[in-house]
Amino acid sequence: MTLKFIVLSDLHVMPEGELSMTLDTGARLEQAVQTIADRYQNVDFCVLAGDLTDLGQPAAYERLKSLIDRIDIPVHLTLGNHDDRETFLSVFGEEYVAETGKIDKALDSKGYRIILLDSSEPGRVDGVLTEVQIAWLKARLAEASDRPVIVILHHNANALQIISDDIRILDAEPFIAALKTHPDIRQVIAGHVHLTSTALWRGIPFTTLAGGHYYCTVDQDHVPMRRLSGPAQMAFVIGEEDQTTVHFDSYIDGNSEIA
């Protein structure tokens, strides 16, 4: 059995007729939904990894819901710093709340455990995992000690050597310690930074996908970050017994196809 799933992040959906950073983010999500229908009909599920909306308005969540209702596979969600938890729940329902009080979830599929963590905290741009969440994570990892695990959340925990390192999960030590209790963490996948990265930190593989909003270039020394209209990107994860692969599919790209 091979596990296959899609991760979308940083959708930043606005109400109909409104733009975010000059972009019609709802229309961009429509392109992602169409891409899933066209290319990924055989995947097991889709994960939305936070910043579902840009400003957390009820109309934005209603628009989001109407768009993801078109996806013909199960969709699992967690939140990011641009989201409003109470407004999200008013549209999507209280059943999304875990025992942690946040939008956390664990699911098992084809020999893998997938854990979603809600790293958002009201009023903060950086990520927070509470003591209750860390305890919950350890329990979910202990239950799955016999299988590989993929963890998905909005905020990156590892520093990427970029200007936005000050808005990652700043107190990441408890998170790392929890992950280290499991023998086979295959990936920790995040969004938040609007760029693609891979890293090995403390022996654990970390990945960020660019997501559906604007794309950030890497700032280094005298070269400042730039914001670009694309690519908009989803991650395509393939989980096998002895290997876990993450592809990046730019469903909005400014480059023309070569015939």
Side-chain angles (χ1 to χ4, degrees):
M1 289 189 300
T2 300
L3 172 69
K4 297 180 180 180
F5 67 93
I6 295 294
V7 183
L8 299 173
S9 186
D10 298 277
L11 305 175
H12 290 266
V13 171
M14 292 287 286
E16 192 77 42
E18 297 185 36
L19 305 180
S20 171
M21 297 290 291
T22 76
L23 302 175
D24 185 341
T25 47
R28 290 165 78 88
L29 176 55
E30 285 188 82
Q31 290 183 254
V33 170
Q34 189 61 51
T35 299
I36 293 171
D38 291 343
R39 303 183 198 171
Y40 299 108
Q41 299 164 334
N42 65 339
V43 303
D44 297 292
F45 54 86
C46 176
V47 174
L48 307 186
D51 279 6
L52 309 179
T53 67
D54 195 46
L55 300 175
Q57 313 102 310
Y61 285 112
E62 293 286 0
R63 188 181 187 191
L64 171 75
K65 190 172 189 302
S66 70
L67 290 170
I68 64 175
D69 281 347
R70 303 178 194 175
I71 300 176
D72 290 332
I73 53 175
V75 177
H76 307 286
L77 308 95
T78 191
L79 302 185
N81 52 286
H82 276 259
D83 288 304
D84 183 285
R85 192 174 295 117
E86 294 307 314
T87 307
F88 166 81
L89 293 173
S90 73
V91 174
F92 280 81
E94 293 289 334
E95 64 270 18
Y96 280 86
V97 181
E99 60 197 80
T100 59
K102 287 190 173 187
I103 315 303
D104 301 316
K105 187 172 189 176
L107 59 135
D108 295 308
S109 183
K110 294 184 175 178
Y112 274 71
R113 168 151 289 187
I114 313 299
I115 298 176
L116 278 62
L117 291 170
D118 178 356
S119 55
S120 68
E121 188 70 17
R124 296 182 65 154
V125 179
D126 61 326
V128 174
L129 296 173
T130 66
E131 290 184 10
V132 172
Q133 282 181 292
I134 295 296
W136 180 88
L137 172 61
K138 287 180 179 177
R140 303 294 78 76
L141 291 172
E143 293 169 350
S145 60
D146 61 340
R147 73 205 81 156
V149 171
I150 297 172
V151 177
I152 304 170
L153 71 171
H154 182 69
H155 291 81
N156 57 305
N158 56 310
L160 301 180
Q161 317 308 322
I162 57 177
I163 192 170
S164 57
D165 279 345
D166 63 349
I167 58 170
R168 61 191 173 97
I169 297 175
L170 298 181
D171 183 14
E173 291 301 326
F175 182 41
I176 288 289
L179 294 174
K180 284 289 193 179
T181 65
H182 193 277
D184 195 7
I185 303 292
R186 293 291 179 91
Q187 281 286 332
V188 179
I189 300 174
H192 190 48
V193 288
H194 293 220
L195 58 81
T196 311
S197 73
T198 63
L200 189 68
W201 185 38
R202 311 282 185 88
I204 297 171
F206 288 82
T207 293
T208 64
L209 67 147
H213 203 205
Y214 62 83
Y215 186 92
C216 289
T217 62
V218 176
D219 57 272
Q220 286 293 313
D221 300 327
H222 63 288
V223 181
M225 180 197 77
R226 293 182 298 147
R227 292 183 175 91
L228 308 176
S229 61
Q233 184 182 88
M234 64 179 70
F236 172 39
V237 184
I238 303 171
E240 299 172 295
E241 183 178 352
D242 63 346
Q243 177 174 290
T244 304
T245 305
V246 183
H247 292 284
F248 301 98
D249 188 342
S250 298
Y251 55 90
I252 299 175
D253 201 327
N255 301 313
S256 58
E257 185 173 349
I258 298 173

